[in-house]
Amino acid sequence: MSRRVVVTGASSGIGAATARAMRHAGWEVVAVARRAERLAALEEETGAVAFAADLTSDADVAALLAFLKDSGPVHALAHVAGGAMGVDRVEDGSLDDWRWMYEANVLSAQRLTAGMLPLLRDASESGNADLLFVTSTAAQVAYAGGGGYNAAKAAESMLVSALRLELAGEPLRVIEIAPGMVHTEEFSLNRLRGDQSGADAVYEGVQNPLTAADVADVIRYALMAPGHVNLDLVTVRPVAQAAQHVVARGPLRVRAD
């Protein structure tokens, strides 16, 4: 029987790359995001089933859950949706930005988890089912100007860790993928409110930052690993990024003696 995965944030970046990777691997994919026109293009390209929804909306999530319940078993959730907004210091931070980041990164994860667990439990009766969350290395190390995003991603990471403990003994894998620097077309651009030059500067001089496809490859492996293997936490960075705040700019080269 073909396995089916729900991929959120599928209109661009890591979410879209994950939808493509899982379709290429032979899975059925329900691709979820707000932008219906982008999802339609992804559906035409890959055969994924598009479902437009805002995951900060209770009504939209309820509609998604009803669709999933009526359309067949669900074996995995790959929750990629989220994002950062602003680079203000804590003392200058916009409460609206912080609220949005908590809604988009934490409460959306809780909504989907609570709603999808009955479906995943049903699917796990024939093997196992998976809940996979894409967090960030921002959940692990704070940096100046990142307080709101650090806080939101750390909260999401703690949600994942608590969930794994709560589901102990059930055939449900709980997986966290924490990417470092990933060069996508929208993440930094959205965070900087459309400042293209500022977004470009984030990656300037960095040799081979990760791509969305790189992270999607890790997600695909995690979901397709043998059912008894759980990747609790995978931190994935480009070689040029030794830590959240240590990034080499310029060509990588062997240090002279």
Side-chain angles (χ1 to χ4, degrees), residues 4-191:
R4 187 165 69 142
V5 58
V6 176
V7 179
T8 70
S11 61
S12 67
I14 295 170
T18 299
R20 292 185 180 100
M22 298 312 297
R23 283 295 297 149
H24 185 71
W27 285 48
E28 296 179 17
V29 173
V30 178
V32 180
R34 289 178 292 109
R35 293 176 291 184
E37 71 286 352
R38 283 185 171 238
L39 290 179
L42 183 69
E43 183 175 60
E44 183 175 356
E45 173 196 344
T46 66
V49 175
F51 193 97
D54 179 348
L55 299 180
T56 68
S57 163
D58 289 338
D60 281 14
V61 172
L64 170 63
L65 295 171
F67 167 77
L68 294 173
K69 183 177 180 180
D70 291 343
S71 57
V74 180
H75 302 88
L77 165 66
H79 184 43
V80 183
M85 189 62 66
V87 290
D88 298 330
R89 300 182 302 173
V90 172
E91 65 183 288
D92 304 319
S94 161
L95 289 180
D96 287 341
D97 287 350
W98 283 51
R99 286 190 188 98
W100 180 84
M101 285 188 281
Y102 199 81
E103 281 277 358
N105 294 285
V106 186
L107 297 187
S108 66
Q110 191 277 333
R111 283 186 184 92
L112 283 172
T113 298
M116 288 187 61
L117 265 174
L119 303 177
L120 293 165
R121 284 186 169 114
D122 286 346
S124 72
E125 291 180 358
S126 59
N128 65 278
D130 301 323
L131 298 101
L132 182 149
F133 302 83
V134 175
T135 60
S136 171
T137 54
Q140 303 169 3
V141 179
Y143 56 94
Y149 189 55
N150 290 141
K153 281 301 185 185
E156 184 183 3
S157 180
M158 286 297 101
L159 179 155
V160 176
S161 295
L163 178 66
R164 188 179 299 112
L165 297 173
E166 292 164 1
L167 297 181
E170 298 190 55
L172 297 165
R173 300 189 297 189
V174 179
I175 301 161
E176 179 180 355
I177 309 297
M181 179 179 281
V182 185
H183 193 177
T184 63
E185 69 269 26
E186 291 190 322
F187 178 83
S188 291
L189 189 65
N190 288 339
R191 184 175 197 173

